[in-house]
Amino acid sequence: MLRASLRQVSAALKEGRVTPTELCQRCLALIKSTKFLNAYITVTEETALKQAEESEERYRRGQPLGILDGIPIAVKDNFNTAGIETTCASKMLKGYISPYNATVVQKLLDQGAVLLGKTNLDEFAMGSGSTDGVFGPVRNPWSYSKQYKEKSVPKSHSEDKESDWVITGGSSGGSAAAVSSFTCFAALGSDTGGSTRNPAAHCGVVGLKPTYGLISRHGLIPLVNSMDVPGILTRCVDDAAVLLGSLAGHDPKDSTTIQDDFNPFELPDLIDVSKLSIGIPKEYDAPGLSSEILALWSKAADLFKNAGAKVVEVSLPHTRYSIVCYHVLCTAEVASNMARFDGLEYGHRSDVKDSTESMYAATRREGFNDVVRGRILSGNYFLLKQNYEKYFVKAQKVRRLIANDFVKVFRSGVDILLTPTTLSDAAPYTEFIQEDNRTRSAQDDILTQAANMAGLPAINVPTALSERGLPVGLQFIGRSFQEKQLLTVAKWFEKQVQFPVIQLEEVKRHDNGVCQYEKSLTVKQGEKAESQSSASPTFGSDVCSQGNRISSTENLNLVKQDAMATPSRTCCAGSGLLARVKSTCELKENSVYLDVRNSLKICLGPLFTKFSSRDTLHGQPWTSEPLKGP
Amino acid sequence: LAPWIPVVGLEIHAQISSNSKLFSGSQVQFAAPPNSLVSFFDASLPGTLPVLNRRCVEAAVMTGLALNCHINKRSLFDRKHYFYADLPAGYQITQQRVPIAVNGSLSYSLCIDNKMSQMVTKTVRIKQIQLEQDSGKSLHDDTRSQTLVDLNRAGVGLMELIMEPDMCCGEEAAAAVRELQLILQTLGSSQAVMAEGQLRVDANVSVHHPGEPYGVRTEVKNINSIRFLAKAIDYEIQRQIEELGNGGTILNETRAFDSKLGCTVPMRDKEGKQDYRFMPEPNLPPLILYDAKSLPANMNHQQVINIDWIHERLPDLPSVKREKLIEQYGILPEHSFTLLTQMKPKKVIGWILNDLLSYLKQHSLTVKERSVVFIATVVKQSDPFLITGTVQSCTGLGSVLLNGVRQIHGREEDHVVKSSSQSSECDDVSSFLLADLLNLLEKNQISSTAAKQVLAELWKGEGKTPLETVKEQKLELLQDQKELEQICQAVIDGQENEVMAIKAGNRKVLNKLIGLVQKKTQGRSNPVLVKQLLEKKLSE
């Protein structure tokens, strides 16, 4: 049952062959026995079981919320989840509990999905291995598969088998590993330069990066705002379409989402690719591309050719500048986005308190790893007044050229581009960490990054196993907002290649009822739909929103007591509930300082008004009494 | 030696009058409990995104149009980075590259040699108007060596206006800001009360010799009233001239105005030159505005701002109102300024009421409920033009009114600070309550002095009726004629010398007796009646 597709398990839930609680329990048990993968940072057993119970009740009443009701899912730990730790795998946010849900998380929960936990990643999603997070590297489930064990030969006798495990790729490695090891039916990742597709390829799962602006980024802790998109990781293409349908659409809280309505779609079973034109960009035959993958790529092209599709070689000449261009744009936005982590409002705060500035510096030095600090440093360098034109503006221009390459190719009649997703199969961890993060990212993102630069939708489809018994995937890149066509082609391809199922000892123990997803596919032409990107930001109306304050009676009391117990603060500032910064002189009362910090943490709960769509609250009176609970 | 030519430019931050902040849904309110108006976005919680407030954009367009600016149909938002405790995100969202409005001008008048009768009109160019976020407030507690941060203001919408260095003294700058303040208030785009920080003015000052390039300029900050603006600029000009005259040099520095000492002092610089590392705000697409021609047909009405539509609905600007006052009501130009520029319209209300009443009395007219309600409604709109017009057309009262206006002008300064926080509630004074008050006056139940007190109570907006206030504060006139007669008799009996003087023909002394009666009754007697009684008794 755990190995079923999302749609199959949904059908099983509906028919009562399995209950949401049973399903949830099985997944939780499997998470426990695959703990060594380090796929999850936080497992939310208690809330998951509660959600499953609620789902069960809905099924009992015959009123499930839809296809996702009762489906166990996992979410990358850079999406905000209310009441559940959101760490970004960084010391900076260790212990940070967000007061709100990311829009995508909220959508999943609203449709009855059961959130199992938060998955591991590279710190702040900066990396391509899922090895650079504060909670340690993620291990690729395929390292423990029958297929890999049979084919890989231990390098030396001195090293034990333990050191042979391979990386998941990244940065959404935790999500990819979670889906790949059957601990959840789908997972959210994020994709800025390939962070969803890369681990999907290494872990043998489907990884979809939708068009920029199709899915809300509200609540996704940003890496590069102009390239980030929430990513979808599933077992099969059909499931990715299901997830896309439940997540896509305009969000008033994200001005960069398109305003057109999104119509969820089901992929046809009968797919005809004979009228399609498949582009093979020659630049993707990049230095370092393994001969294995090159051969697979060309075989895939033949598949299309044999099915009657037109396969043409195309050129995306500026793609080779994408790495340097990405480096400038990414680090610049990182430098900016990371400026908020100063230890004041939330997150880690250093004990150094000689001055505000030294507290900032120490907090950021202690809170961020070398990778993050390095990117902040170079980003700030590129944004300096004397460098701005030379680097940032130039990089923006190059980005335009890269995007235009795609426009030209698609205008020439090509429907879909077919490329490899990665240069090779997953590297063993010991090998991978020989090089620094920057070099690795530059190598590993090379085939995926351009799609982010251009905002295009792209998908990894697991294709075959390498000689070492590890998954290899190919990438399809589509036109903007043409997800249906992209996924239709991907589904056809998926059917042709019959990628093998991972054989894991742990899963066999937990899942007796083998339930392979059906492969009876039929052929039909993919439909086209046009969609316009929004040109202007959407306006919020000038109506105050109160939002839902987080109501915890205990917290409220604490705040009140805190405010009342320290009248001296009231004297000097008008209230006790203020964020505090140490000024230039040496602080004598250490305890007061820490105490204040505690009050600040509480502030983030009930005191802060939740941001919500302003027009929805039109006409509601504003209460000026912030401490009153509902 | 050639004379020095002072050059003054201004950078003005006007807080936009809106219900919610520029990019978040939290409320905008002055003097709310600290950190009570903070959304997740305002606190820069990770993952939050800005959503532009339509009202703020409209306010900026209105202001741009009123200041003859070119409105950019496509403007951009940028991030300006610096670390400060009251800037939670580590950057401010502003419009550095392409602001919403550019190339405008502001005409203002000022009197020569302080003579109201000699007015000249001058113009200052407006370089640009940009939308940006306000920061929070840091409060430094030196004794405990800590800083407290209040984020209520963080994210409130600001319009930054840059005035070109077209002015040459404090008085000019003050007059320009006063006119701008009036325009903003007329538009409603900002309340522009300097004492509440809704209007913040920084002055760039330099001096140079004729024919030479501009001198090194200093920036004067920390100016919190228009009077201080003039003082600070004039001090800074004088300081620079003296410094240069003594062979010194002017540093390109930021100076703060010390209102107690009346001088400018160098501010502690934030570690030398700041590089703000500007970059485009990636979470906000370009801001597109439309006019009647470019308006797309199929766009959601809510998502479109039409410049022409806003233009057509601009209210009469102060300059136009002044012209109308002069042309239609024969008011002197300087009086039109007094009325509009130096006055909070609400201050006029009390005087109108009193003057109106006495006028009606003189002409033995009675207040008709309906006309009172009408006048009160007009008064409520706090529009001096309408007030003057209405009162004049009802009663021909213009001169009396202006007299009153001038009388209270002297008290204006003191009142501004105290009353400003209540001023917004003044609008809530019901016309019916005002009518009640007029009736009390007309029926001789209270004196005109008491009426002003009652009016002040009404402004507080505590919901008390005039009669309740009168009862509470014992303001009603003594209605008991016998009691009043007894008091008058007592005064006459106690002032033999004065009585003698009056009887000898010195009528002026009578006023002293009236005053004594007033004192004994604590102002609760009708002076006319008292005079009659005293005269009657003295002639007996």
Side-chain angles (χ1 to χ4, degrees), chain A residues 80 93 96 99-100 212 217-222 225-226 252-256 259 332-333 336-337 339-342 344-346 356-357 360 364 380 383-386 388 392 396 534-545 549-550 568-569 572-575 577-587 589 592 604-605 607-612 614 622 624 626, chain B residues 17-29 33-57 77-79 81 83-91 97 139-142 144-151 268 271 275-290 299-300 302-305:
Chain A
N80 279 276
L93 283 179
Y96 173 70
Y100 75 101
Y212 184 84
R217 292 180 294 114
H218 174 254
L220 164 63
I221 298 179
N225 300 286
S226 61
K253 292 173 193 171
D254 178 357
S255 304
T256 61
Q259 289 180 48
E333 282 199 37
S336 176
N337 287 333
R340 69 189 59 215
F341 298 101
D342 55 13
L344 279 186
E345 280 82 11
Y346 43 79
T356 305
E357 285 74 20
Y360 284 169
R364 291 163 69 77
N380 277 321
L383 288 177
L384 285 178
K385 210 175 171 187
Q386 77 258 26
Y388 185 75
F392 191 81
Q396 278 188 311
S534 62
S536 192
T538 54
F539 296 114
S541 63
D542 185 27
V543 177
C544 298
S545 66
R549 295 215 175 88
I550 294 172
S568 58
R569 281 187 222 156
C572 58
S575 163
L577 296 164
L578 294 164
R580 294 185 172 220
V581 195
K582 168 78 168 55
S583 173
T584 42
C585 323
E586 182 56 44
L587 188 81
E589 294 167 30
V592 171
L604 290 172
L607 244 197
F608 283 67
T609 27
K610 183 174 178 178
F611 175 74
S612 70
R614 276 169 280 176
W622 176 269
S624 57
Chain B
S17 170
S18 60
N19 295 325
S20 58
K21 295 183 180 180
L22 182 54
F23 296 122
S24 80
S26 36
Q27 197 195 12
V28 175
Q29 190 196 312
N35 293 321
S36 61
L37 309 174
V38 186
S39 71
F40 296 157
F41 174 79
D42 304 328
S44 81
L45 295 204
T48 52
L49 299 170
V51 179
L52 186 56
N53 183 343
R54 181 192 173 93
R55 154 73 192 159
C56 293
V57 177
F77 290 96
D78 304 284
R79 291 180 179 181
H81 299 88
F83 282 100
Y84 206 72
D86 56 25
L87 187 75
Y91 57 81
R97 291 167 301 163
L139 299 133
H140 302 284
D141 178 0
D142 288 334
R144 283 167 159 239
S145 69
Q146 57 190 2
T147 300
L148 305 158
V149 179
D150 177 7
L151 295 180
R268 210 154 36 103
E271 290 170 36
D275 190 323
Y276 291 118
R277 290 160 286 129
F278 284 100
M279 71 164 229
E281 167 57 63
N283 294 320
L284 289 167
L287 169 59
I288 308 289
L289 304 175
Y290 299 91
M299 281 282 265
N300 179 355
Q302 284 294 306
Q303 295 296 328
V304 171
I305 288 179

Side-chain angles (χ1 to χ4, degrees), chain A residues 42 77 79-81 83-88 90-100 118 221 341 345-348 597 601 604, chain B residues 40 43-48:
Chain A
T42 307
D77 207 15
F79 287 94
N80 279 276
T81 43
I84 298 165
E85 213 176 315
T86 300
T87 69
C88 281
S90 174
K91 188 181 173 191
M92 190 55 98
L93 283 179
K94 226 172 172 176
Y96 173 70
I97 293 177
S98 171
Y100 75 101
K118 306 294 289 290
I221 298 179
F341 298 101
E345 280 82 11
Y346 43 79
H348 174 71
R597 175 62 191 219
K601 267 189 195 157
L604 290 172
Chain B
F40 296 157
S44 81
L45 295 204
T48 52

Side-chain angles (χ1 to χ4, degrees), chain B residues 182-449:
Chain B
L182 205 63
I183 290 173
L184 295 175
Q185 286 165 348
T186 306
L187 296 172
S189 60
S190 170
Q191 292 183 5
V193 179
M194 277 185 94
E196 287 181 13
Q198 288 149 348
L199 196 70
R200 281 163 253 160
V201 185
D202 300 335
N204 290 311
V205 179
S206 71
V207 297
H208 65 105
H209 284 304
E212 286 176 10
Y214 285 178
V216 176
R217 66 173 197 207
T218 58
E219 188 179 8
V220 186
K221 288 184 181 253
N222 207 20
I223 304 168
N224 46 29
S225 80
I226 292 183
R227 208 153 46 96
F228 289 153
L229 172 70
K231 274 192 176 176
I233 290 171
D234 288 339
Y235 174 88
E236 183 58 18
I237 292 170
Q238 216 44 51
R239 186 191 71 83
Q240 290 189 10
I241 291 174
E242 276 169 32
E243 185 75 39
L244 292 166
N246 295 335
T249 50
I250 301 300
L251 297 172
N252 182 2
E253 63 180 353
T254 306
R255 299 177 70 86
F257 180 67
D258 186 322
S259 56
K260 278 180 196 146
L261 301 173
C263 67
T264 66
V265 288
M267 274 173 89
R268 210 154 36 103
D269 232 2
K270 291 172 197 163
E271 290 170 36
K273 228 173 91 183
Q274 286 253 33
D275 190 323
Y276 291 118
R277 290 160 286 129
F278 284 100
M279 71 164 229
E281 167 57 63
N283 294 320
L284 289 167
L287 169 59
I288 308 289
L289 304 175
Y290 299 91
D291 56 19
K293 256 192 251 164
S294 64
L295 197 68
N298 307 327
M299 281 282 265
N300 179 355
H301 189 70
Q302 284 294 306
Q303 295 296 328
V304 171
I305 288 179
N306 182 345
I307 302 168
D308 291 335
W309 194 87
I310 293 174
H311 205 166
E312 284 159 22
R313 280 156 188 80
L314 281 186
D316 274 354
L317 294 176
S319 56
V320 176
K321 279 189 194 171
R322 277 190 291 257
E323 264 167 45
K324 283 192 185 170
L325 281 174
I326 294 163
E327 277 175 22
Q328 294 180 16
Y329 300 100
I331 284 169
L332 292 171
E334 58 265 36
H335 287 173
S336 77
F337 269 91
T338 315
L339 247 184
L340 272 149
T341 312
Q342 288 156 355
M343 195 56 49
K344 281 209 137 189
K346 282 144 200 159
K347 304 286 168 210
V348 184
I349 297 174
W351 294 93
I352 293 174
L353 293 177
N354 286 342
D355 289 344
L356 181 60
L357 255 291
S358 63
Y359 176 86
L360 293 173
K361 237 187 192 146
Q362 264 173 36
H363 295 78
S364 352
L365 296 167
T366 47
V367 177
K368 285 197 183 74
E369 184 79 5
R370 231 161 82 211
S371 64
V372 169
V373 171
F374 175 62
I375 291 169
T377 311
V378 171
V379 166
K380 218 179 81 174
Q381 290 171 347
S382 0
D383 187 322
F385 171 65
L386 274 175
I387 293 169
T388 320
T390 313
V391 174
Q392 262 193 335
S393 58
C394 287
T395 64
L397 202 68
S399 60
V400 187
L401 168 67
L402 285 175
N403 191 26
V405 167
R406 252 176 264 122
Q407 277 187 43
I408 59 165
H409 172 52
R411 306 178 200 173
E412 169 67 3
E413 295 274 349
D414 302 338
H415 282 274
V416 168
V417 178
K418 278 183 222 153
S419 63
S420 56
S421 58
Q422 297 159 6
S423 62
S424 58
E425 281 146 25
C426 295
D427 295 332
D428 296 335
V429 176
S430 142
S431 51
F432 296 100
L433 293 181
L434 282 174
D436 281 353
L437 177 59
L438 278 176
N439 277 328
L440 287 175
L441 256 173
E442 198 198 12
K443 287 177 190 155
N444 270 329
Q445 284 174 318
I446 54 171
S447 69
S448 59
T449 328

Side-chain angles (χ1 to χ4, degrees), chain A residues 153-172:
Chain A
V153 186
K155 273 178 212 136
S156 69
H157 298 288
S158 60
E159 284 177 66
D160 61 337
K161 204 83 168 124
E162 178 61 9
S163 65
D164 283 343
W165 62 271
V166 298
I167 59 150
T168 53
S171 62
S172 312

